Amino acid sequence: MDCDHELWMGYAIQEALKAKNQNEIPIGAIVVFKDKIISRAHNSSISSSDATSHAEINSIRMACKEINNYRLPGMDLYVTLEPCAMCYGAIIHARISRVIFGAYDPKTGVCGSSIKLHEQKCFNHIPEIIGGVLEEKCSLILKDFFNEKRN
């Protein structure tokens, strides 16, 4: 595995920890272009009362504003949890080149777990998908968060 993936995922993990500290579901994401972080974000659905305020969506929105374009060709999205269908749709529309995620999500993940949307031929853009980068660390952040909530 490319050691740069682990480096970049570390920044996404920092975002996930920010979300956790704000009592949000701890998922973080960054957009990278030519070895530079263009945006970084985390889940904020609870605090913003916005069901669409996932880490991926927030990071894509910020990246689009940063480069003043609604498309992000050649850019990589690092996210600590496998994207859901909503986020995958945003990834396609933004033309993200690669999605690199940490933990697999057997309930709502659409990049290999519950379904493989990236293998469907109906989309006009299909990003490269790389899963399982720092999977254990990403998964543990979520498990700890939900264990704390239950106790």
Side-chain angles (χ1 to χ4, degrees):
M1 185 169 307
D2 188 333
C3 65
D4 283 349
H5 289 326
E6 292 183 359
L7 171 76
W8 296 120
M9 188 61 72
Y11 290 105
I13 287 170
Q14 289 175 7
E15 288 299 313
L17 295 174
K18 286 181 190 176
K20 181 180 180 184
N21 291 336
Q22 295 171 10
N23 209 27
E24 296 279 354
I25 295 172
I27 300 167
I30 65 168
V31 172
V32 175
F33 183 62
K34 295 184 178 178
D35 292 328
K36 180 180 180 228
I37 296 175
I38 303 301
S39 66
R40 52 176 83 213
H42 53 271
N43 273 15
S44 59
S45 297
I46 297 166
S47 61
S48 65
S49 299
D50 180 355
T52 69
S53 198
H54 288 195
E56 300 96 318
I57 302 282
N58 293 338
S59 193
I60 288 169
R61 285 177 179 154
M62 291 170 66
C64 288
K65 285 184 180 176
E66 178 65 27
I67 68 161
N68 197 32
N69 193 339
Y70 72 110
R71 298 277 165 85
L72 304 172
M75 298 197 190
D76 295 336
L77 174 71
Y78 287 82
V79 60
T80 57
L81 184 68
E82 181 180 359
C84 68
M86 175 184 70
C87 292
Y88 188 76
I91 289 162
I92 290 171
H93 288 291
R95 303 300 193 266
I96 296 278
S97 293
R98 284 194 305 182
V99 176
I100 302 94
F101 68 87
Y104 286 85
D105 184 356
K107 291 182 180 177
T108 63
V110 298
C111 297
S113 290
S114 68
I115 193 170
K116 297 177 182 178
L117 285 183
H118 61 290
E119 292 181 0
Q120 301 303 307
K121 303 295 181 213
C122 59
F123 298 115
N124 61 350
H125 174 74
I126 300 171
E128 179 184 349
I129 304 292
I130 300 168
V133 175
L134 297 180
E135 178 179 5
E136 196 172 312
K137 193 170 193 176
C138 293
S139 182
L140 190 59
I141 293 168
L142 285 159
K143 286 177 185 171
D144 286 349
F145 177 79
F146 288 113
N147 282 337
E148 287 173 19
K149 290 286 175 201
R150 284 190 275 279
N151 296 328

